[in-house]
Amino acid sequence: MSDQKYNSPEDPYFEDAQADEFEEEEFVSKTELKRQAKELHKLGETLVNLTDANIATIPMDEELADAVAIARKVNKKKDGYRRQLQFIGKALRNRDTTDIEEALAKLTHQHQAANAAFHALEKAREAVIEQGDPAIQKLIEQYPELDRQKLRQFHRQIKKEREKNAPPKAFRELFQYLKDVIHEEWLSVWAQIQKRLVQLPNLFIFEYRSRI
């Protein structure tokens, strides 16, 4: 008897193999759909939790924007909030979310840049306080707009405040001074970062998705 019939569509072994393959594809498809639904649910929740200023930067059509606005007004502990999030997730399934994800990625990097700038200012302030002239010299080399005598004065005042356990007035004023002078240069740097964000949207979409 030839083995050829075992490879024909009439062969029960062939039919079983086809059925198994179909079930496997169906399982993978359902798993992928669940994963996508979960991601879109999280995307919707991210939109709802944005600040008023940030939500204004997200490109949304009127229907989606209204759905998000309603969720932002609902008590998060109520069932209505959960149902509204589900509605937003379903709405996102019927939309191309590329522009939304790009906008969120930019916000993420804005936040990171702002945090980095804040921590850099804190470190600069501590360096001026703890190291004095050596740190002041390095700062002025990097930011010539800074006033050497003013930084020295802050250094002395903060030392006195700490010795007397006085309110940290000069401590706060030094941070504000550094922020005022350095901030303009930081804005210039951020403008360059923004240009790169526009040029590399797909990269930042990937990074945003990796966080959710």
Side-chain angles (χ1 to χ4, degrees), residues 197-211:
L197 286 174
V198 173
Q199 294 169 357
L200 300 173
N202 292 333
L203 171 63
F204 294 114
I205 288 174
F206 172 78
E207 290 187 6
Y208 166 75
R209 282 177 172 165
S210 69
R211 287 181 171 80

Side-chain angles (χ1 to χ4, degrees), residues 58-139:
I58 306 299
M60 294 184 287
D61 58 75
E62 186 176 353
E63 182 183 6
L64 180 59
D66 287 345
V68 171
I70 291 172
R72 288 161 65 82
K73 296 177 182 178
V74 177
N75 189 325
K76 293 184 178 181
K77 295 181 180 180
K78 303 292 185 180
D79 287 340
Y81 177 73
R82 178 181 57 80
R83 288 194 297 270
Q84 189 64 16
L85 283 182
Q86 289 176 341
F87 176 79
I88 293 171
K90 290 179 181 178
L92 288 169
R93 291 179 209 173
N94 301 322
R95 289 166 170 78
D96 182 355
T97 61
T98 301
D99 289 344
I100 292 175
E101 292 179 40
E102 284 183 13
L104 286 172
K106 289 179 183 180
L107 288 177
T108 297
H109 284 269
Q110 274 185 336
H111 181 68
Q112 291 174 343
N115 280 343
F118 179 83
H119 292 308
L121 288 171
E122 284 187 322
K123 288 182 179 180
R125 175 174 61 181
E126 287 304 315
V128 169
I129 297 169
E130 299 300 330
Q131 301 173 24
D133 282 343
I136 291 171
Q137 178 60 32
K138 288 181 180 179
L139 276 174

Side-chain angles (χ1 to χ4, degrees), residues 21-39 93:
E21 184 177 351
F22 175 78
E23 289 178 1
E24 183 177 350
E25 288 179 356
E26 186 179 20
F27 174 77
V28 172
S29 178
K30 287 182 178 179
T31 301
E32 178 62 17
L33 287 174
K34 286 182 179 179
R35 186 191 67 79
Q36 291 177 1
K38 187 176 180 180
E39 283 190 357
R93 291 179 209 173

Side-chain angles (χ1 to χ4, degrees), residues 125 129 154 158 161 167-178:
R125 175 174 61 181
I129 297 169
F154 276 126
I158 293 170
E161 283 180 352
K169 180 183 177 182
F171 181 77
R172 289 192 293 265
E173 288 177 349
L174 173 57
F175 183 88
Q176 188 61 46
Y177 173 66
L178 292 172

